[in-house]
Amino acid sequence: MIKAIIFDMYETLVTQYSGQLYFGEEIARDLQIEENMFMPIWRNSKQARTIGEITFEEIIETIMLKHNLFSNEKVEQIVSRRHSFEKNAFLNINEDIMPMLKMLKNMGFKLGLITNCFSEEVIHIRQSDLFSLFDATCLSFLERCRKPEEDIYQLCVER
């Protein structure tokens, strides 16, 4: 008998591709750093950013320092644009998602959320209308483990 259903957040319940994108390529462009100089550092930081070893702000600062481009104003601009991008994902939730989650809860199912996420995404996930519908949440940045590692699934089931 099924007692619980575990969901992923991005590209399952919400999409980050519904508006203007703000991923590595766009950040590199805003920093005026050649993509071939920015993207290797950005990509190599993904695991650490996903499991809470480094924040978005820290990797941006690291990249800017490496290229002698550091300025607090520029960091704030990049961080602000990234937060706007992340917030947008939760402003355009498919109209069927909330009713579906509420229906599953009304049917007696426990709902879990396991998602790989970065520091700047945690804020928007927690502030979303979706967050309160989950009985257990495991956000990789906070849990210091990520999908597909077994630990994050076990943790969600225990909760």
Side-chain angles (χ1 to χ4, degrees):
M1 174 181 210
I2 298 173
K3 296 180 181 181
I5 302 169
I6 298 174
F7 290 90
D8 182 26
M9 182 63 76
Y10 293 104
E11 307 319 313
T12 302
L13 298 175
V14 300
T15 183
Q16 293 178 309
Y17 295 92
S18 64
Q20 185 175 1
L21 302 181
Y22 201 66
F23 293 119
E25 295 83 0
E26 292 80 19
I27 296 168
R29 197 167 24 256
D30 278 355
L31 290 173
Q32 298 178 335
I33 299 173
E34 303 254 346
E35 274 188 47
N36 64 340
M37 302 298 287
F38 178 90
M39 292 308 293
I41 301 168
W42 180 250
R43 285 187 187 115
N44 288 338
S45 74
K46 184 176 182 180
Q47 169 86 9
R49 288 184 293 120
T50 305
I51 60 170
E53 292 177 353
I54 189 169
T55 66
F56 177 73
E57 291 87 347
E58 290 169 334
I59 192 61
I60 294 303
E61 290 174 8
T62 298
I63 293 170
M64 290 176 74
L65 287 167
K66 181 175 175 56
H67 291 90
N68 297 316
L69 296 171
F70 183 82
S71 83
N72 285 320
E73 296 79 23
K74 196 65 167 175
V75 171
E76 289 175 20
Q77 176 192 0
I78 299 298
V79 169
S80 177
R81 287 201 64 198
R82 180 70 173 199
H83 278 285
S84 293
F85 164 73
E86 295 298 342
K87 184 177 182 178
N88 186 58
F90 294 97
L91 296 176
N92 298 304
I93 299 172
N94 181 296
E95 64 185 35
D96 296 330
I97 297 297
M98 293 291 284
M100 175 202 58
L101 293 174
K102 288 176 182 177
M103 180 188 71
L104 291 170
K105 283 194 74 72
N106 289 337
M107 293 172 68
F109 292 105
K110 296 287 184 185
L111 300 182
L113 173 69
I114 300 174
T115 195
N116 289 344
C117 61
F118 309 119
S119 61
E120 72 279 14
E121 294 171 333
V122 169
I123 296 163
H124 302 287
I125 292 169
R126 285 180 157 176
Q127 290 176 350
S128 76
D129 292 338
L130 296 173
F131 192 75
S132 65
L133 296 174
F134 293 99
D135 300 292
T137 60
C138 291
L139 310 180
S140 68
F141 182 84
L142 300 175
E143 305 302 343
R144 297 194 160 272
C145 59
R146 59 179 282 189
K147 299 180 301 176
E149 296 166 12
E150 182 180 330
D151 291 352
I152 200 164
Y153 295 97
Q154 189 62 40
L155 186 58
C156 191
V157 169
E158 289 169 7
R159 288 181 180 167

